[in-house]
Amino acid sequence: MPTAALAAALAAALATARQHLVGRLGARFGALRYLPALFRQVRAASPRLFAASLALRLVGACLPVAMLWLAKLILDAIVAEHARPRPTPMGLDAWLADPHLSRLAALVAAELALAILADLIGRLGTLADGLIADLYGNAASLRLMRHAAALDLAQFEDSAQQDKLERARRQVTGRTSLIAQVFGQGQAVVTLLSLAAGVAVFTPWLIVLIAAALVPAFLNEWHFTRAGYRLAWMRTPERRRIDYLRYLGASVETAKEVKLFGLNGYITDLYAGLADKLVADNRALAIRRAGWGGAFAALGTLAYYAAYAVIVWRTVAGGFSIGDLAFLAGAFQRLRGLIEGLLLGFTQISGQAQYLEDLFSFFETVPTIRSPESPAPLPDPIRQGLAFEDVGFRYPGSDAWAVRHLSFALAAGETIALVGENGAGKTTIVKLMTRLYDPTEGRILLDGLPLGAYDLDALRARIGAIFQDFVRFDLTAGENVAVGWIQARDDAGRIGRAAVRGLADGVIARLPARYDQPLGKRFEGGVDLSGGEWQKIALSRAYMRDAEILILDEPTAALDARAEYDVFRRFRDLSAGRAAVLISHRFSTVRMADRILVLEQGRVLESGTHEALLALGGRYAELFALQAAGYR
């Protein structure tokens, strides 16, 4: 190979190696960029405690070298006293009168004072760190909840985003120890510098020896910390599945069916299989880490005792005094621990910072459905209503269209019913109406403007919606109704009127504590309700707000036909003058709508009144006949 070609190949290989090394270093140290943001949040949680903790650690960092120096002075004074002739025995008066012995007593008293001060500072620092950690944990949890609430429904339904949220949730409180650890590292650095300055007066080159011997231990811990993070990151889906299996196997919500279907063995076997795999992975990593860590720790111990032997030899040769020996031995012992702790602590901090990246990268997740910078004023009242114009929508990650070429209008004051088999697109339409999703194509107008032109919160405040899979909150009965408009949770009259409209007043009247009765079995004193009773509670939520658009998306599945008919009849009466959407599989209820849209494969197949659709003899008439036959 020509020399020029060889040189070019070598240069390319070196560039590739350099790029690989830089990439690895960047991956390992890149997460440290979140530490300033963490400390800004910690300081914001309690500026006074933050400053107090820093001050305590700064003072505490200087105490070890001061105490070692006092110990040196005490030993040298004792040795000098042994060499000085004095009358024996000596009484207390003679001790106090002797200036040499008085100085020795003062040195001992000073060391005692520093020992008491060191203990006090340590306890106060631990107290401050604990209080800061609690305050920061609460503040970070609130921030996590608020940010999660701002994310899109699609981001919640995406499994990768769920993994990201799970990792962030674990780090909110799991990384509070990082705060104290970084503070401790800063304190250790100050202590190390002060000790190194003292040792440098005698034997500066021995510090280099100890530090060089501990570098391999640092690299070893760095490697295994990174490996531990990678393992935890890859196992996030399995951990979520384990948490879910733990919930299935030990939850009041699932206990009935688990017992009835005999699922306990199946669930515990699934749990054991996943848990054993995680334990095996962690055990293999821990064994490798312990083995290599022990070998490198032995190397550090060897370097320390080599330095100690040099100090002893210099003392025997007359180069150092006994006090110097004590100071250097103590300083080297502390330096060894400090250097080892700093190197290993740095790898731990960089490792924890990688987990911290899970938290802050979650905060960097930006919702796609949000309010415009200059929203248009929402019409008050709504005059024209909603209009779908050639709307198409695909769920994220799916190639299939949930709805396509969908065009229809919902006029102000009109009640429409959506009818169709499962998967026809009924619930998707409701999600698009409430802007839980934005259309993939086409547009949805409200009084002539796209929904995206309005403030998101203001838009949703005008809509009252109850879904089939409504939430059963383990709160009081009054709070379960009030969640429909939580701003009015203290308005007992409004809650009572909403319960009457949703037919929940009779259910609540039978409860021991009425509106103050806790519901659900999760907490002590809670009372559970039947499916139909829960649905009446949920229906009442829709009447909590003065919404101009009301939506009932199959929330009455647990009610019998007569009860559902009564609910929808009352719903129609109470929604007079408002736009309303009904979704139900029972044709006896949807027939009361002003207009019925028959959906099939995401398109409007038929549209008209109940009588007109029956006369048409199409899909609606066919479905109506099939359901009617079931009642004969």
Side-chain angles (χ1 to χ4, degrees):
M1 178 181 291
T3 304
L6 180 62
L10 181 60
L14 289 174
T16 302
R18 178 179 176 277
Q19 185 177 6
H20 178 68
L21 178 61
V22 170
R24 293 189 64 184
L25 290 174
R28 298 192 178 203
F29 290 106
L32 295 176
R33 69 184 184 275
Y34 292 107
L35 286 179
L38 171 66
F39 277 89
R40 284 194 296 271
Q41 291 191 12
V42 172
R43 184 181 181 280
S46 179
R48 291 184 178 180
L49 281 175
F50 184 83
S53 182
L54 288 180
L56 288 169
R57 289 190 179 277
L58 182 61
V59 174
C62 299
L63 291 179
V65 67
M67 294 179 69
L68 280 174
W69 190 257
L70 282 173
K72 163 193 157 40
L73 296 178
I74 290 171
L75 284 174
D76 284 340
I78 291 173
V79 171
E81 285 303 310
H82 274 284
R84 187 169 66 91
R86 61 181 183 274
T88 56
M90 293 183 64
L92 180 60
D93 292 341
W95 268 81
L96 296 176
D98 190 317
H100 297 285
L101 295 178
S102 297
R103 177 175 177 273
L104 180 60
L107 290 173
V108 173
E111 188 174 22
L112 172 63
L114 288 183
I116 294 173
L117 180 61
D119 179 72
L120 178 62
I121 285 177
R123 294 178 184 277
L124 290 175
T126 301
L127 174 61
D129 290 348
L131 294 175
I132 289 174
D134 287 342
L135 292 170
Y136 165 74
N138 291 339
S141 296
L142 289 171
R143 185 185 177 196
L144 178 74
M145 294 166 64
R146 288 168 181 152
H147 187 73
L151 296 181
D152 303 337
L153 181 62
Q155 291 169 316
F156 273 100
E157 294 178 344
D158 179 66
S159 60
Q161 288 291 340
Q162 288 183 39
D163 290 342
K164 196 172 187 178
L165 175 59
E166 174 65 17
R167 288 193 293 268
R169 188 184 294 115
R170 288 176 180 271
Q171 304 322 315
V172 165
T173 55
R175 299 277 77 82
T176 52
S177 61
L178 178 61
I179 301 164
Q181 191 170 5
V182 174
F183 279 174
Q185 286 288 93
Q187 179 177 344
V189 167
V190 176
T191 302
L192 184 145
L193 292 176
S194 61
L195 287 172
V199 171
V201 175
F202 300 96
T203 54
W205 62 272
L206 288 181
I207 300 175
V208 179
L209 171 64
I210 295 177
L214 293 175
V215 166
F218 162 69
L219 296 175
N220 177 69
E221 285 297 316
W222 187 15
H223 167 74
F224 281 105
T225 298
R226 179 69 178 173
Y229 170 74
R230 285 198 305 268
L231 180 61
W233 193 92
M234 290 187 297
R235 292 290 177 256
T236 299
E238 286 86 349
R239 283 203 309 269
R240 282 203 304 117
R241 187 168 178 81
I242 281 177
D243 289 342
Y244 176 66
L245 290 172
R246 189 185 295 117
Y247 162 76
L248 287 182
S251 171
V252 64
E253 290 85 359
T254 62
K256 182 170 55 180
E257 294 192 31
V258 168
K259 291 179 180 296
L260 181 62
F261 298 142
L263 298 178
N264 185 65
Y266 173 71
I267 292 172
T268 53
D269 287 345
L270 287 176
Y271 180 93
L274 285 171
D276 288 346
K277 180 174 177 57
L278 291 181
V279 169
D281 289 342
N282 291 331
R283 180 173 58 242
L285 181 64
I287 290 173
R288 294 199 308 275
R289 186 172 194 164
W292 285 104
F296 288 123
L299 180 62
T301 301
L302 181 64
Y304 166 72
Y305 277 96
Y308 186 66
V310 171
I311 297 169
V312 171
W313 172 72
R314 291 283 303 276
T315 303
V316 171
F320 296 145
S321 69
I322 296 298
D324 295 338
L325 172 64
F327 174 81
L328 289 171
F332 270 112
Q333 186 176 16
R334 284 180 174 268
L335 279 171
R336 178 205 173 194
L338 284 170
I339 295 173
E340 186 175 14
L342 281 170
L343 294 177
L344 301 185
F346 178 77
T347 63
Q348 292 169 359
I349 287 174
S350 63
Q352 287 202 51
Q354 293 173 90
Y355 293 95
L356 194 67
E357 184 174 10
D358 293 333
L359 177 62
F360 282 92
S361 63
F362 172 74
F363 288 138
E364 292 170 0
T365 304
V366 178
T368 58
I369 299 178
R370 48 190 172 179
S371 301
E373 292 185 4
S374 300
L378 205 66
D380 187 18
I382 296 173
R383 294 178 174 80
Q384 300 173 29
L386 286 163
F388 280 60
E389 294 185 351
D390 198 30
V391 170
F393 177 74
R394 287 185 299 202
Y395 284 96
S398 174
D399 293 330
W401 290 93
V403 296
R404 190 80 191 279
H405 300 306
L406 187 65
S407 297
F408 72 90
L410 170 62
E414 181 186 26
T415 299
I416 66 170
L418 303 180
V419 174
E421 296 180 293
N422 291 333
K426 303 184 296 295
T427 298
T428 298
I429 291 174
V430 172
K431 290 178 179 178
L432 293 171
M433 279 184 176
T434 52
R435 215 183 161 214
L436 293 173
Y437 287 99
D438 280 336
T440 307
E441 60 183 27
R443 60 180 188 165
I444 304 173
L445 307 178
L446 176 64
D447 275 15
L449 289 178
L451 293 184
Y454 300 110
D455 179 79
L456 190 59
D457 292 335
L459 173 67
R460 289 176 179 167
R462 298 291 188 90
I463 302 174
I466 297 297
F467 294 95
Q468 181 179 3
D469 53 348
F470 61 85
V471 178
R472 304 182 182 193
F473 293 98
D474 286 88
L475 303 172
T476 67
E479 290 169 332
N480 261 282
V481 175
V483 294
W485 187 248
I486 199 63
Q487 293 87 334
R489 60 187 178 277
D490 296 325
D491 190 341
R494 186 168 186 162
I495 293 173
R497 290 190 296 273
V500 170
R501 293 175 176 179
L503 302 178
D505 55 323
V507 175
I508 296 174
R510 294 191 294 270
L511 296 175
R514 295 174 60 82
Y515 286 90
D516 294 325
Q517 176 64 50
L519 300 183
K521 289 294 187 181
R522 189 178 301 272
F523 304 112
E524 184 178 359
V527 172
D528 206 3
L529 304 177
S530 68
E533 290 172 328
W534 268 114
Q535 287 190 322
K536 291 177 180 178
I537 295 287
L539 283 166
S540 300
R541 297 170 188 167
Y543 298 111
M544 272 298 295
R545 60 179 62 192
D546 295 324
E548 294 185 68
I549 301 174
L550 294 173
I551 301 170
L552 294 188
D553 182 6
E554 299 188 70
T556 56
L559 300 177
D560 56 47
R562 178 177 293 278
E564 184 185 40
Y565 178 79
D566 290 340
V567 166
F568 279 118
R569 183 179 60 184
R570 174 168 291 200
F571 175 76
R572 179 173 180 176
D573 294 341
L574 293 173
S575 62
R578 307 177 186 183
V581 178
L582 305 177
I583 300 178
S584 175
H585 286 290
R586 291 193 179 112
F587 289 84
S588 57
T589 57
V590 301
R591 66 189 299 173
M592 67 180 66
D594 299 321
R595 190 159 46 97
I596 300 170
L597 303 183
V598 182
L599 302 172
E600 188 171 84
Q601 296 182 352
R603 293 179 173 86
V604 176
L605 185 66
E606 299 170 2
S607 175
T609 64
H610 172 72
E611 292 75 12
L613 292 174
L614 285 182
L616 184 63
R619 184 64 172 158
Y620 180 86
E622 177 188 354
L623 294 173
F624 181 82
L626 286 172
Q627 190 171 108
Y631 286 96
R632 295 188 185 123

